[in-house]
Amino acid sequence: MALRLRFLRPAVWRGAALVLALPVSTLAAPPALAADAQLDPASKARVVASPSQPKVSRTTPFGTASRATVLGQGTQLWIEGTGGGVTLERKSGARWVTAASLGSTLQNGRRYATVRVPAAMADSLAGRTVEFRIKAAATPTTSAWTSGAQRLTLPKRTTKVVSSTLANFSGSIVSAVKTNRVSASFNNAEGRAAALQRKINGTWRTVASAKVRGAIATVKMPVPASARAVSSYRWAVSATSAASAANSGAAKIVTENPRKYTGYKGVLHRQIKAYCPNTVIQIHSRAGGYAGLAYIGTDQIAIVSGLSGNFRKLAALHECAHLRQYTVATKRGASWEQLKARLNAIYGTSGNLGMEMHATCTAKAMGASLIKGAGYTTNCSGARGRAGAAIKAGRMP
């Protein structure tokens, strides 16, 4: 008997709903269609080719490129077949985050991206080992692609001692009993401890330290208390996990303790110590015809050897007066040139002569006797004498 199949209309129930459900798992998936399969023209279905896998020249972001290349000019990655956006990602904890979007260029018909770690990121992650990978987004014709991860240790920031005031003391003698402050400026050392070091028995030892603030560190410079010493100093900053160490060049500094002077120097020190207690005294020959010299801006004078009596005292106090001229003027906010102009007006002189006459009148106020033919003037009366007394007392004339 022939078996006939009949297609029945589904029943419609007017009362309680009757639902007949066919489990999804029982539906067989249609067979895959080839990209060039033909369908009934009346069909509204479309067949789209499966996205192709991009071609990438490396399976890691940087291949064997050096860190200098990765952080500088970058390394080129052939990314043919990736029509979507290409990004460099880094691992942050358990997540991958975008580090940079990579632009692309066409070279000889091929598409390339230049891969480099952004400078700001390299700086913020300096000294750390980071994982990177490349990710290409999917497009209608290409599938997404992710490279293998590559670990890269980012270089530390380079610390540098840019300048130092230690150089200001080279070539002169520093008083061992005067507080001297020294400073240095730094690159990439903000908030770190900068150490002033002195070489002691062949080893660099930290003698003072300060935090770097606004790229500057300033400390008091401890010096040996001995009568005379020659020491080497330098600035140093230790390395951190993110920044390199740095040292300045060594500066050789000579120090003397005026309170331990003996002989001729001891006599001179006692004659000026009430007004210049920490002043270093050098002994010179009579070269140049001057009895003494003052090194303005330092605490150092030079007196020729062999002077005696009141002439020695006048020479020593005259040079001490020059140091006080500079000290008083700068403390009162006046420049050396402004003081010079004021003194020339008082003494009726020009050039440096007013300074010299005033130093002699200041020496007289300090206890020296005027000597005819020495010390530029023997007239310290009236306004001249009052100007000398003012500097002795620490006031502007």
Side-chain angles (χ1 to χ4, degrees), residues 6-369:
R6 291 191 306 164
F7 293 89
L8 303 178
R9 293 176 180 271
V12 178
W13 294 84
R14 298 298 182 185
L18 174 64
V19 179
L20 300 178
L22 183 66
V24 173
S25 59
T26 64
L27 294 175
L33 295 175
D36 58 351
Q38 300 296 315
L39 296 183
D40 183 344
S43 171
K44 295 183 180 180
R46 289 189 307 153
V47 176
V48 179
S50 298
S52 61
Q53 184 69 18
K55 298 176 182 178
V56 182
S57 60
R58 296 186 183 91
T59 56
T60 55
F62 308 112
T64 59
S66 68
R67 283 187 295 168
T69 299
V70 169
L71 298 168
Q73 67 188 31
T75 181
Q76 284 198 321
L77 185 71
W78 173 41
I79 53 172
E80 195 70 22
T82 57
V86 182
T87 55
L88 174 68
E89 295 186 328
R90 71 174 178 90
K91 200 166 189 180
S92 176
R95 298 185 306 114
W96 287 94
V97 297
T98 299
S101 296
L102 306 180
S104 62
T105 58
L106 285 173
Q107 299 179 31
N108 299 322
R110 280 187 168 182
R111 185 167 174 244
Y112 290 88
T114 300
V115 189
R116 70 168 62 86
V117 178
M121 178 175 293
D123 184 70
S124 65
L125 299 174
R128 292 172 56 182
T129 299
V130 185
E131 284 189 87
F132 291 95
R133 72 181 186 183
I134 299 292
K135 186 173 183 179
T139 70
T141 57
T142 59
S143 60
W145 176 86
T146 303
S147 75
Q150 183 171 357
R151 293 170 67 86
L152 186 70
T153 300
L154 300 177
K156 294 183 177 183
R157 292 187 289 272
T158 301
T159 305
K160 184 179 180 181
V161 184
V162 179
S163 63
S164 167
T165 59
L166 287 173
N168 298 344
F169 296 101
S170 295
S172 63
I173 301 176
V174 177
S175 174
V177 292
K178 182 182 179 181
T179 299
N180 292 290
R181 291 184 176 274
V182 290
S183 301
S185 61
F186 302 84
N187 281 344
N188 292 322
E190 191 67 21
R192 294 159 64 189
L196 178 68
Q197 297 182 329
R198 184 169 76 234
K199 205 167 192 177
I200 302 173
N201 297 325
T203 302
W204 287 105
R205 306 284 188 185
T206 297
V207 293
S209 64
K211 292 276 189 179
V212 178
R213 302 296 186 197
I216 302 291
T218 302
V219 297
K220 294 179 181 179
M221 181 176 67
V223 299
S226 55
R228 182 179 173 85
V230 180
S231 306
S232 291
Y233 288 84
R234 73 174 187 183
W235 284 96
V237 179
S238 299
T240 67
S241 60
S244 65
N247 299 318
S248 70
K252 188 172 287 187
I253 298 175
V254 179
T255 57
E256 289 187 3
N257 188 339
R259 296 171 189 173
K260 295 188 177 182
Y261 283 156
T262 59
Y264 189 62
K265 278 189 175 183
V267 173
L268 292 168
H269 171 68
R270 288 191 292 274
Q271 289 178 326
I272 67 172
K273 70 178 182 179
Y275 308 101
C276 297
N278 302 321
T279 297
V280 169
I281 302 171
Q282 294 185 52
I283 307 303
H284 281 194
S285 67
R286 290 184 179 272
Y290 295 99
L293 296 169
Y295 299 93
I296 302 302
T298 73
D299 205 358
Q300 184 177 338
I301 64 173
I303 305 296
V304 298
S305 60
L307 301 183
S308 61
N310 189 59
F311 187 48
R312 179 183 59 212
K313 185 175 184 179
L314 177 61
L317 286 172
H318 177 98
E319 303 310 332
C320 170
H322 279 314
L323 298 185
R324 288 184 69 83
Q325 285 173 336
Y326 180 82
T327 300
V328 171
T330 53
K331 282 185 176 180
R332 298 297 183 268
S335 68
W336 184 252
E337 292 301 317
Q338 287 172 327
L339 177 60
K340 183 192 294 186
R342 183 177 300 191
L343 293 176
N344 278 331
I346 293 172
Y347 288 88
T349 54
S350 61
N352 292 324
L353 189 54
M355 291 287 232
E356 297 295 350
M357 289 184 174
H358 176 254
T360 295
C361 290
T362 302
K364 180 179 183 299
M366 292 174 177
S369 299

